[in-house]
Amino acid sequence: MQPSDLTTIRTLSALTVHPEGRDVLFAVSRPDVEDNRYRTSLWRQPLADGAADGPARRLTRGTRDGSPAYSPDGSRIAFLRAGEDGPPQLHVIPADGGDARRLTEHKLGVGGFAWSPDGTAIAYAARLPEEGRYGTDEKVKPDQEAPRLIEHSAYLADGLGYVLDRPSKIFVVDLAGLAEDDGEDAEELPQSTQLTTGAGDDRSPVWLSADRVGFIASRDRRGTWRPDTLVSDLCSVDLRGKGFRRHTDGTGSVGSAHVAGDGSVVYGVGGLGESGQDFVARNPVLRRLTAVPKDAKADGRSAGEALTDPETDHLACPPALGVGGTLVAAFETRGDTVVRDVDTGQVLLDGSVSVSAVAVGGGVVAAVAGTRTSYSELFVAPVGEQLAPVTDFGRHLRGRAAPIEPEELETTANDGYPVHGWLFRPTGKAPRKGGHPVVLMIHGGPYTQYSGNLFDEAQVLAGAGYAVVMGNPRGGSGYGATHGRAVKEAIGTVDVADLTALLDHALTLPGLDATRVGVQGGSYGGLMTTWLVAHTDRFTAAISERAVNAWDSFAGTSDIGWFFGDEYVGAFAHEQSPLTWADNITTPTMVIHSERDFRCPLEQGQRLFSRLRRNGVPTRLLVFPGEGHELTRSGQPRHRVQRFEHILDWWAEHLA
């Protein structure tokens, strides 16, 4: 795989199953490097008895269509469509084809949405800009807006920007009497009613009953916004926007809620410890309420039955709840994912898969998963049976971009702890002198996991002739919550031991050159990269990307700085900051950052670069304009290609 082969990647998302199980709809996205944008359209996979009935076919001709959802009777499809430059708006289209009808016109677009039980209305979330900002006044340019008076710690969000002056609110659009032959150009929009008001975000709408809309928010019992907290609850209002209720107990972090046909509700909630913000490796627990309390005074007294284990079950994506009550969820496990029927415990999909979405409907279970040879494929089966792949989007990779499959690595750290990872070895014979140069790649998070499945970072480096070593040291997910919490107030200890053991083990294998070893990582992986080259000179060169290098300034500049460092490093912020030890660095180090990274702000990279320059260490600073923390995953396609080109140039200079 070469940098230009990013255009061969196809990514599937946003599943919805027809209520009668006749087909599955999903979105397919591809990078368009020439136009420097992502092209996304809706596709349909026909089914018969829970198996594929012919090939998947493209359903819509828009280039920015996503998030499809069938109406309860299966007659219509709601989805989000954006113009070439505008924000996404809610649309609806007949299930058997026809013109899409636009339902909304919000300055900043529409987010999540949900059909009402009878299919006559849709609840949705939309951000409302403060007057005079974000283009609400054409005479006021962005750099001419009034100053922002900020009184809270949580005022930024990576990938979005300032949030307090554009809160997300819940609306309902009435579809009764909507003419089906009115297409995209219909002059009048149907009536929308705003249900929630005030400060703070209300998101993820869900219908708890025919006359009550639920949503996730940080609010007290009276409905007043609670700023600067990680606590969020399942709340609701009636269709007049009145009768506020909070259905969970105000102590945890609710991530999503799902309603079955019998009125039962499944929601995921993560604990926050005694501090109220101890989120570190606290896996959300799925809970079921047999019925949402109708008495506002109940206020979350019934937490509901716990369905998952907070130690072992780490959700890979939101669960899916069928109308009949079938609950399906995907859990990270040793770099892969297992899909289970939560109630029966039956495993529906496992092996070398990385699941990113699940759905249930019409007696069918569907999932999107990456594999060893494809970034995304659709898997389906009748409820209770093993999921099987029914698409072949990996065909775009065959030929020059054919995936390199990994070798699994297992070893132990110096304290006897098991360490697990993978080696991606370049194809062809190793150089006669020394073997392949090696790059140790370190994941971000830290509470996430690497996988042996298809990953463009590893494929591009291996395609260029570098052996890539990557694994899941303590601090990551997929190996239990205890594994994840091992680095709490201990960064730079057991994680370093695991990474060192994995690399040492890989270098005992034939065909690898132990004299030419580089290290690179992003976010937490960038922190570890800076840490390693400050504590050893074993690496030939390094790339530290979008890193946390200094916890002191991170606390005052990051969108999560007001709580993240307190929980991960606590009183050890100085000792566990790589910049504290940066004067020890002699390894040539490239620093990569993005201008609009609000998660690990640009100053984190600038401070490291300036220290290295002052000390005479070979270094470069690569800064991407207009990008945030997610550059490597969802940044502009052209920037993603250019980033790979710079990385390969750096490694060619120092390792080739």
Side-chain angles (χ1 to χ4, degrees):
M1 188 175 188
Q2 307 299 316
S4 59
D5 291 322
L6 283 176
T7 57
T8 64
I9 295 174
R10 300 294 184 272
T11 304
L12 280 59
S13 63
L15 298 174
T16 182
V17 184
H18 190 278
E20 297 176 359
R22 298 190 309 206
D23 57 48
V24 180
L25 301 182
F26 53 95
V28 178
S29 176
R30 65 175 179 87
D32 184 337
V33 175
E34 183 176 346
D35 286 345
N36 200 29
R37 62 178 66 234
Y38 293 89
R39 302 296 183 185
T40 306
S41 55
L42 303 186
W43 286 60
R44 170 181 275 145
Q45 173 61 62
L47 303 176
D49 299 323
D53 186 21
R57 299 188 181 280
R58 186 171 175 176
L59 175 65
T60 64
R61 292 297 160 184
T63 58
R64 296 178 66 194
D65 294 347
S67 304
Y70 268 116
S71 62
D73 65 359
S75 66
R76 289 182 287 186
I77 302 162
F79 67 100
L80 298 181
R81 167 174 286 176
E84 286 297 296
D85 298 306
Q89 304 293 344
L90 186 61
H91 287 66
V92 67
I93 187 173
D96 56 0
D99 293 328
R101 169 72 185 268
R102 182 166 56 89
L103 305 179
T104 62
E105 185 57 46
H106 286 277
K107 192 70 177 179
L108 301 181
V110 171
F113 64 89
W115 284 94
S116 66
D118 62 3
T120 62
I122 298 176
Y124 65 90
R127 290 194 173 275
L128 298 183
E130 183 180 297
E131 192 61 35
R133 301 192 190 280
Y134 307 110
T136 54
D137 186 338
E138 295 181 357
K139 298 178 182 179
V140 180
K141 298 178 180 179
D143 60 356
Q144 297 173 339
E145 291 180 359
R148 291 178 171 87
L149 182 62
I150 295 169
E151 300 178 282
H152 302 292
S153 298
Y155 63 90
L156 275 178
D158 185 67
L160 181 62
Y162 293 100
V163 294
L164 299 182
D165 51 15
R166 45 177 162 178
S168 173
K169 296 299 156 194
I170 305 300
F171 295 76
V172 167
V173 57
D174 185 5
L175 305 186
L178 190 68
E180 292 189 1
D181 57 352
D182 283 346
E184 179 79 35
D185 299 325
E187 294 184 3
E188 293 187 8
L189 297 176
Q191 180 67 39
S192 285
T193 302
Q194 184 176 340
L195 300 187
T196 65
T197 59
D201 283 348
D202 304 323
R203 57 183 176 83
S204 305
V206 59
W207 292 78
L208 300 182
S209 64
D211 59 359
R212 183 158 285 272
V213 175
F215 55 93
I216 309 300
S218 297
R219 301 193 175 276
D220 65 18
R221 295 183 179 185
R222 297 171 297 176
T224 303
W225 175 49
R226 302 170 66 183
D228 302 335
T229 179
L230 300 184
V231 173
S232 57
D233 286 283
L234 173 61
C235 306
S236 72
V237 291
D238 63 26
L239 297 185
R240 301 169 301 157
K242 306 293 184 181
F244 174 86
R245 296 176 191 164
R246 195 179 72 176
H247 303 287
T248 48
D249 65 8
T251 62
S253 178
V254 175
S256 63
H258 314 267
V259 181
D262 61 1
S264 63
V265 177
V266 170
Y267 67 97
V269 58
L272 296 172
E274 293 183 3
S275 69
Q277 62 181 30
D278 181 6
F279 66 96
V280 177
R282 290 188 178 273
N283 293 329
V285 175
L286 294 181
R287 291 184 173 275
R288 178 183 280 116
L289 292 170
T290 55
V292 175
K294 301 186 184 309
D295 181 2
K297 295 181 180 180
D299 190 26
R301 291 177 196 167
S302 298
E305 173 193 6
L307 305 174
T308 55
D309 187 329
E311 170 60 33
T312 59
D313 293 333
H314 181 221
L315 289 168
C317 58
L321 181 63
V323 172
T326 299
L327 177 62
V328 173
F331 303 98
E332 292 184 349
T333 305
R334 288 177 55 81
D336 287 308
T337 314
V338 171
V339 177
R340 294 201 317 258
D341 182 312
V342 175
D343 291 308
T344 67
Q346 181 184 5
V347 173
L348 306 177
L349 178 65
D350 62 359
S352 300
V353 291
S354 298
V355 176
S356 57
V358 290
V360 182
V364 171
V365 177
V368 166
T371 68
R372 290 285 199 263
T373 58
S374 178
Y375 287 95
S376 280
E377 299 295 350
L378 176 65
F379 290 69
V380 300
V383 170
E385 297 186 18
Q386 296 294 300
L387 293 164
V390 295
T391 57
D392 185 23
F393 287 93
R395 66 184 181 277
H396 298 284
L397 304 171
R398 293 172 192 152
R400 188 180 71 174
I404 295 172
E405 294 208 17
E407 304 168 30
E408 193 163 5
L409 304 176
E410 292 189 84
T411 188
T412 55
N414 55 14
D415 60 357
Y417 194 84
V419 185
H420 180 220
W422 298 268
L423 168 65
F424 288 82
R425 189 189 295 269
T427 56
K429 293 183 179 180
R432 283 181 290 179
K433 184 178 180 180
H436 294 295
V438 178
V439 174
L440 173 64
M441 187 177 293
I442 309 172
H443 69 58
Y447 199 55
T448 185
Q449 65 171 10
Y450 266 155
S451 168
N453 297 321
L454 200 56
F455 179 39
D456 58 345
E457 300 280 328
Q459 294 294 324
V460 167
L461 288 181
Y466 303 98
V468 180
V469 177
M470 47 190 274
N472 295 320
R474 275 170 279 189
S477 59
Y479 301 76
T482 301
H483 177 95
R485 290 178 68 82
V487 297
K488 184 173 168 64
E489 300 186 354
I491 285 177
T493 61
V494 293
D495 44 4
V496 170
D498 291 357
L499 290 166
T500 300
L502 188 67
L503 178 61
D504 288 343
H505 172 64
L507 293 176
T508 66
L509 303 178
L512 274 60
D513 188 349
T515 68
R516 293 184 295 163
V517 180
V519 57
Q520 79 173 66
S523 195
Y524 167 78
L527 179 156
M528 290 308 302
T529 296
T530 311
W531 181 276
L532 286 170
V533 295
H535 288 81
T536 178
D537 59 1
R538 72 177 296 178
F539 296 101
T540 308
I543 298 176
S544 178
E545 186 169 13
R546 62 183 189 280
V548 179
N549 289 312
W551 291 106
D552 57 353
S553 56
F554 178 88
T557 56
S558 169
D559 65 340
I560 59 174
W562 58 279
F563 68 88
F564 194 89
D566 288 344
E567 297 304 325
Y568 261 110
V569 294
F572 304 101
H574 180 73
E575 296 92 329
Q576 294 177 20
S577 290
L579 203 66
T580 299
W581 315 101
D583 288 340
N584 298 331
I585 298 174
T586 59
T587 303
T589 301
M590 171 180 263
V591 180
I592 302 179
H593 232 100
S594 296
E595 282 185 351
R596 290 182 58 79
D597 188 338
F598 298 138
R599 182 60 41 82
C600 298
L602 178 59
E603 57 87 16
Q604 293 283 315
Q606 291 171 318
R607 293 181 69 183
L608 175 61
F609 173 71
S610 64
R611 183 75 65 87
L612 297 176
R613 287 282 298 170
R614 188 189 71 181
N615 293 340
V617 179
T619 185
R620 293 173 189 160
L621 175 63
L622 180 65
V623 180
F624 285 89
E627 299 288 1
H629 197 64
E630 297 298 306
L631 164 64
T632 62
R633 294 173 281 267
S634 58
Q636 298 172 46
R638 197 173 298 157
H639 279 165
R640 290 177 64 187
V641 172
Q642 292 165 341
R643 170 184 169 273
F644 272 137
E645 291 171 344
H646 280 280
I647 286 173
L648 293 181
D649 286 347
W650 178 261
W651 289 136
E653 178 180 344
H654 293 281
L655 293 184

